[in-house]
Amino acid sequence: MSHLIAPSLLASDFANLQKECEMINSSDADWYHLDVMDGVFVPNISFGIPIIKYINKHTLKPLDVHLMIVEPERYIKDFKNVGANILTVHLEASKHLHRTLQAIKQEDMKAGVALNPHTAVEQLEPVLEETDLVCVMSVNPGFGGQAFIEGTYRKVEKLKNMIVKAGLDTKIEIDGGVTSKNARKLIECGADVLVAGSFVFKSENPTQTISELKNI
Ligand code: DX5
Ligand code: ZN
């Protein structure tokens, strides 16, 4: 399978979301990456359920929703109702992660677990079988436009080994500081999905930049 590209709307023009969605619809992108921040789990507030409801009216591709919020289990149904296809919670934010992943799957969504840069991939082992996607944070979550953490490559390799050994098809997603400079190496280490915010939306031609990442 070739890798997937998930542009993060966090770096887009929030006053022109319909236009941004139409650009993604007609691009080589595979998913929409939507970053929900609560100002508690991370030191920033982005957007939430009502905005995603309206984004969903203009999208033709799966919605990959990344929850950077405390007690994410409280909102599983709400995100399903506004169109989330993949729902990712942080390992560090969910006290009963196993139950949370089951609840996400019960709502017919793919269940994702995000790991902060300080969290070892080994911590995932007990729930790996329940996990459809692991989002490896390659920056500290909360803001777009940060520099990629080089230690991510090693982490991705370790995680890929765990997945292969367990005979699973869990996808590995990389989130933060992704550019055409690190994309190839990330894929070689085992990444399946690349999230890119600033690199896409701050470029002169976002459609072309998405193709560049897709064809790397
Ligand atoms: C950061 C978010 C990312 C962010 C990535 O907390 O989870 O999805 O939008 O942005 P860039 O690609 O600019 O690092
Ligand atoms: Zn994200």
Side-chain angles (χ1 to χ4, degrees):
M1 187 203 74
S2 125
H3 64 280
L4 306 180
I5 304 298
S8 165
L9 281 179
L10 187 65
S12 74
D13 178 353
F14 285 1
N16 284 294
L17 281 175
Q18 181 175 348
K19 192 190 93 217
E20 303 286 38
C21 289
E22 285 162 0
M23 182 281 289
I24 294 179
N25 286 340
S26 61
S27 77
D28 285 337
D30 298 279
W31 295 350
Y32 283 77
H33 185 83
L34 303 174
D35 290 300
V36 177
M37 303 179 186
D38 65 355
V40 180
F41 180 68
V42 288
N44 194 11
I45 300 174
S46 57
F47 53 79
I49 296 154
I51 301 282
I52 296 181
K53 180 177 162 194
Y54 283 95
I55 287 176
N56 191 34
K57 290 187 197 292
H58 302 289
T59 55
L60 301 171
K61 298 174 183 182
L63 303 189
D64 169 33
V65 178
H66 176 191
L67 300 182
M68 284 161 272
I69 65 175
V70 296
E71 299 181 19
E73 57 282 350
R74 290 172 59 197
Y75 303 99
I76 293 170
K77 267 199 169 57
D78 297 294
F79 283 103
K80 169 67 184 180
N81 290 341
V82 295
N85 300 98
I86 303 128
L87 194 63
T88 296
V89 301
H90 267 262
L91 179 142
E92 306 84 4
S94 189
K95 277 197 191 127
H96 300 282
L97 185 57
H98 188 276
R99 184 188 290 154
T100 303
L101 296 174
Q102 285 185 324
I104 294 172
K105 293 213 262 200
Q106 251 159 34
E107 292 297 331
D108 253 331
M109 294 180 284
K110 297 282 185 202
V113 179
L115 302 180
N116 276 340
H118 73 268
T119 304
V121 291
E122 285 79 3
Q123 284 201 45
L124 257 184
E125 208 270 328
V127 292
L128 199 53
E129 214 166 311
E130 307 296 327
T131 309
D132 297 305
L133 174 123
V134 181
C135 175
V136 178
M137 292 306 302
S138 38
V139 297
N140 284 294
F143 302 92
Q146 304 179 79
F148 178 83
I149 297 171
E150 296 290 320
T152 307
Y153 299 118
R154 178 93 192 88
K155 232 173 144 174
V156 175
E157 276 174 346
K158 271 197 200 168
L159 179 59
K160 184 70 184 179
N161 268 332
M162 282 167 61
I163 293 170
V164 170
K165 265 198 192 149
L168 298 169
D169 62 355
T170 310
K171 282 186 170 31
I172 302 177
E173 178 178 67
I174 313 298
D175 189 6
V178 171
T179 69
S180 55
K181 288 207 168 71
N182 50 31
R184 162 95 344 246
K185 191 165 171 191
L186 285 166
I187 294 159
E188 283 166 4
C189 291
D192 303 291
V193 187
L194 301 178
V195 173
S198 316
F199 187 66
V200 167
F201 287 99
K202 308 293 179 216
S203 72
E204 237 162 67
N205 186 336
T207 310
Q208 205 177 302
T209 306
I210 291 169
S211 301
E212 194 186 325
L213 287 172
K214 183 74 184 173
N215 299 314
I216 215 141

